[in-house]
Amino acid sequence: MNEKLSELYNAILDGDVAGAKAGVQAALDAGLEPGLILADGMIAPMKEVGKRFEEGEYFVPEMLIAARAMQAGMSLLKPHLVGSDVKSAGKVAIGTVKGDLHDIGKNLVALMLEGAGFEIKDLGVDVAPEKFVEAITVDGVDIVAFSALLTTTMPNMKVTIDAIQQAGLRDKVKVIIGGAPVTEEYARQIGADGYSSDASRAVSLAQALLAA
Ligand code: B1M
């Protein structure tokens, strides 16, 4: 791998915000193609972070700081990606469901998806069902992703799916769900297309659903 890209790769793996910014800038200054910087210097280390997390070598804090470093690097790279030939992997609207204010996990999922090339519409927290419906009709998203951290707000995932169904949009979009109290079984019960237990698996789930 190019030396500049391996410095960027290691900065993101270590969650080094300043190093990630410097790494992106150095790679741009060296004339490297933005798509290559994103793929080899930024998405690759996030994949490694996800792998280490799944293997129990990294934990949530390491994922968060790596995600923060990637986000810092992305803020510099984003303007250079516009108009380049990086193809979007798909559009995702993500939000924490109505009544729920937890957003750390949701932000992590959004970041990992963004790192994998998805366009993200972040609807924030306490998102009413009609906001998800609007994201499908107005923004034409391919996937809606719901996060819930409370057993009391989980039922709003089903309420939101029902709202999408009632708007006649259920076959236009894939619904994926996650959050600490959510399970695969619950996803099946409420008619979601997929469940993921963590941010890294949310990426492979979204990729698999759009490839199918
Ligand atoms: Co709250 N809280 N909280 N809280 N809080 C929990 C969830 C709780 C389990 C704590 C506890 O009692 N042990 C408990 C819920 C109990 C239950 O429902 N059974 C609880 C409670 C009770 C509450 C309040 C009701 C407390 C009160 O006011 N009495 C209140 C509710 C407010 C509301 O939402 N209406 C409340 C408030 C808060 C704070 C605001 C203080 C703060 C949130 C700050 C913020 O998010 N900006 C907070 C926090 C920090 C927590 C804990 C401690 C940590 C949550 C967190 O960020 N985890 C939490 C305890 C816990 O979870 N063990 C707790 C780290 C994060 C990276 O993990 O969000 O699980 P997580 O995301 C993971 C996966 O779940 C998955 O990927 C992520 C990364 O791997 N994932 C998805 C998440 N969303 C996904 C979406 C996908 C896919 C995967 O889409 C496809």
Side-chain angles (χ1 to χ4, degrees):
M1 193 196 295
N2 178 291
E3 193 194 327
K4 299 273 178 244
L5 289 183
S6 75
E7 280 167 20
L8 174 58
Y9 181 104
N10 288 326
I12 291 182
L13 203 55
D14 295 342
D16 174 0
V17 167
K21 281 183 166 172
V24 168
Q25 196 55 57
L28 287 170
D29 291 346
L32 296 179
E33 204 272 311
L36 180 73
I37 300 174
L38 178 66
D40 288 2
M42 304 178 84
I43 294 177
M46 290 307 282
K47 273 193 187 152
E48 178 62 20
V49 170
K51 185 168 156 273
R52 291 185 186 188
F53 177 73
E54 280 164 27
E55 288 167 353
E57 189 186 333
Y58 269 19
F59 297 94
V60 167
E62 284 88 356
M63 280 223 289
L64 277 173
I65 60 167
R68 241 181 252 140
M70 195 199 81
Q71 196 175 32
M74 278 297 285
S75 66
L76 283 181
L77 190 66
K78 254 184 190 170
H80 298 271
L81 288 171
V82 178
S84 80
D85 60 358
V86 176
K87 256 187 81 204
S88 165
K91 271 194 197 175
V92 181
I94 187 167
T96 308
V97 293
K98 193 168 173 56
D100 200 319
L101 303 176
H102 296 83
D103 71 353
I104 297 171
K106 182 265 295 170
N107 292 345
L108 201 50
V109 173
L111 261 175
M112 295 289 278
L113 285 169
E114 188 176 28
F118 286 88
E119 281 178 69
I120 302 298
K121 171 126 187 123
D122 190 342
L123 301 175
V125 295
D126 189 20
V127 180
E130 51 272 28
K131 289 282 173 201
F132 283 105
V133 169
E134 194 181 300
I136 303 166
T137 52
V138 177
D139 302 299
V141 299
D142 307 297
I143 295 177
V144 286
F146 312 154
S147 179
L149 264 283
L150 300 171
T151 46
T152 50
T153 57
M154 267 172 67
N156 286 332
M157 293 180 151
K158 164 94 168 77
V159 171
T160 308
I161 291 179
D162 289 348
I164 293 169
Q165 179 89 46
Q166 275 157 24
L169 298 167
R170 187 61 189 93
D171 59 346
K172 295 211 173 330
V173 77
K174 299 290 182 194
V175 177
I176 63 175
I177 67 172
V182 181
T183 62
E184 182 96 57
E185 170 58 21
Y186 183 69
R188 261 197 302 274
Q189 267 175 32
I190 67 169
D193 296 299
Y195 154 78
S196 131
S197 58
D198 59 60
S200 164
R201 289 187 180 91
V203 172
S204 38
L205 174 64
Q207 287 167 335
L209 284 171
L210 290 192

